[in-house]
Amino acid sequence: MDRLKDQVLIVTGGAHGIGLAYCEGLAAEGARVVVADIDGQGADAVAASLGEAGHDALAVTTDVSQPESSDTMARLTMERFGRIDGLINNAAIYQRPAVTRGPFEEIPVEEWDRLMGVNLRGVFLCCRAVVPHMKAQGSGKIVNISSGTVFNGSTQMLHYVTSKAGVIGLTRSLARELGDYNINVNAIAPGLTVSMDDDDEDKLLRFETRMQARSLKRLEGPQDLVGAVLFLCSTDSDFMTGQTMVVDGGAQMH
């Protein structure tokens, strides 16, 4: 299938884990993928792999928390492809590097600021960088990655949950602002997902425990999220905006 044939889609945090799965899934549907990641070597490797598989891909070293870097991401995309059809705001601090887990008063202020800078400010900056180009072409798809922890009120990582709640608020307000320009803005809230990079036995045990809270009692992998991203980037979702899709095997129902 080529649901996204020749569409130019940026994936932040695309060099590893779930972001890598997004890049591969989008490319398989015909998209030209921009792999944006703070790990430049990792982004280069993913883009090279996609190229070897016959796909058109560009790697851009990007620190989403910095306006100059996110602007450069958009500029290099335009220079290479001439348009920006979609942005998947996937880059976030959670497991790489791992966040502090514990009572909220024990969260270092510096870590709070760093996490907000990537998880929330980064979404804002990347949207700000690409939206002028989407406005000029009269279309665009923005997919922000939130988290099921927002609906569960997960404890022991207040800064992470708060940042992901902010992503939902940003999604709704931005959808209102950009509707007149035919730009769709939606979010996905994944459940706890076993990434390609997860190999810690204690972490995998926690995943197994969380699995029991789901209606579909199995582990959630990156491929379980690719379909939702494809849907939100394609014409199938043209009349859907401001929404948050929970993809967690039925752990949360709203």
Side-chain angles (χ1 to χ4, degrees), residues 64-65 90-100 110-120 157 159-161 163-164:
V64 299
S65 69
N90 169 72
I93 294 175
Y94 178 53
Q95 294 181 19
R96 301 179 63 252
V99 302
T100 295
E110 296 78 10
E111 183 175 316
W112 172 282
D113 290 343
R114 185 173 71 253
L115 191 142
M116 291 296 172
V118 174
N119 293 13
L120 189 51
M157 49 181 179
H159 47 347
Y160 177 79
V161 177
S163 70
K164 290 300 187 178

Side-chain angles (χ1 to χ4, degrees), residues 76-242:
L76 293 177
T77 300
M78 291 297 295
E79 289 177 359
R80 170 72 175 268
F81 297 116
R83 61 185 295 115
I84 299 174
D85 297 292
L87 166 68
I88 296 87
N89 277 309
N90 169 72
I93 294 175
Y94 178 53
Q95 294 181 19
R96 301 179 63 252
V99 302
T100 295
R101 295 179 180 274
F104 84 95
E105 63 267 30
E106 295 180 6
I107 295 172
V109 173
E110 296 78 10
E111 183 175 316
W112 172 282
D113 290 343
R114 185 173 71 253
L115 191 142
M116 291 296 172
V118 174
N119 293 13
L120 189 51
R121 171 181 158 115
V123 175
F124 160 69
L125 290 176
C126 289
C127 288
R128 194 182 69 162
V130 306
V131 161
H133 305 291
M134 292 180 173
K135 284 183 175 180
Q137 66 198 30
S139 64
K141 303 275 190 174
I142 296 175
V143 182
N144 299 322
I145 307 301
S146 180
S147 169
T149 60
V150 173
F151 302 103
N152 189 49
S154 297
T155 60
Q156 305 296 300
M157 49 181 179
L158 183 72
H159 47 347
Y160 177 79
V161 177
T162 302
S163 70
K164 290 300 187 178
V167 168
I168 293 176
L170 184 152
T171 297
R172 293 176 176 179
S173 291
L174 198 58
R176 293 282 188 193
E177 287 197 33
L178 299 181
D180 289 344
Y181 301 95
N182 195 37
I183 299 172
N184 304 69
V185 188
N186 292 290
I188 295 173
L192 188 63
T193 304
V194 180
S195 168
M196 302 171 189
D197 302 323
D198 288 323
D199 57 7
D200 181 87
E201 290 187 7
D202 289 339
K203 189 182 296 181
L204 293 174
L205 179 60
R206 179 163 54 88
F207 290 160
E208 292 279 0
T209 302
R210 188 71 61 87
M211 179 178 66
Q212 299 308 314
R214 295 175 173 151
S215 298
L216 304 175
K217 290 182 171 50
R218 65 171 176 80
L219 295 176
E220 179 169 3
Q223 289 303 320
D224 291 314
L225 297 161
V226 172
V229 169
L230 293 175
F231 169 71
L232 291 177
C233 288
S234 75
T235 57
D236 293 342
S237 60
D238 277 355
F239 202 57
M240 179 178 173
T241 196

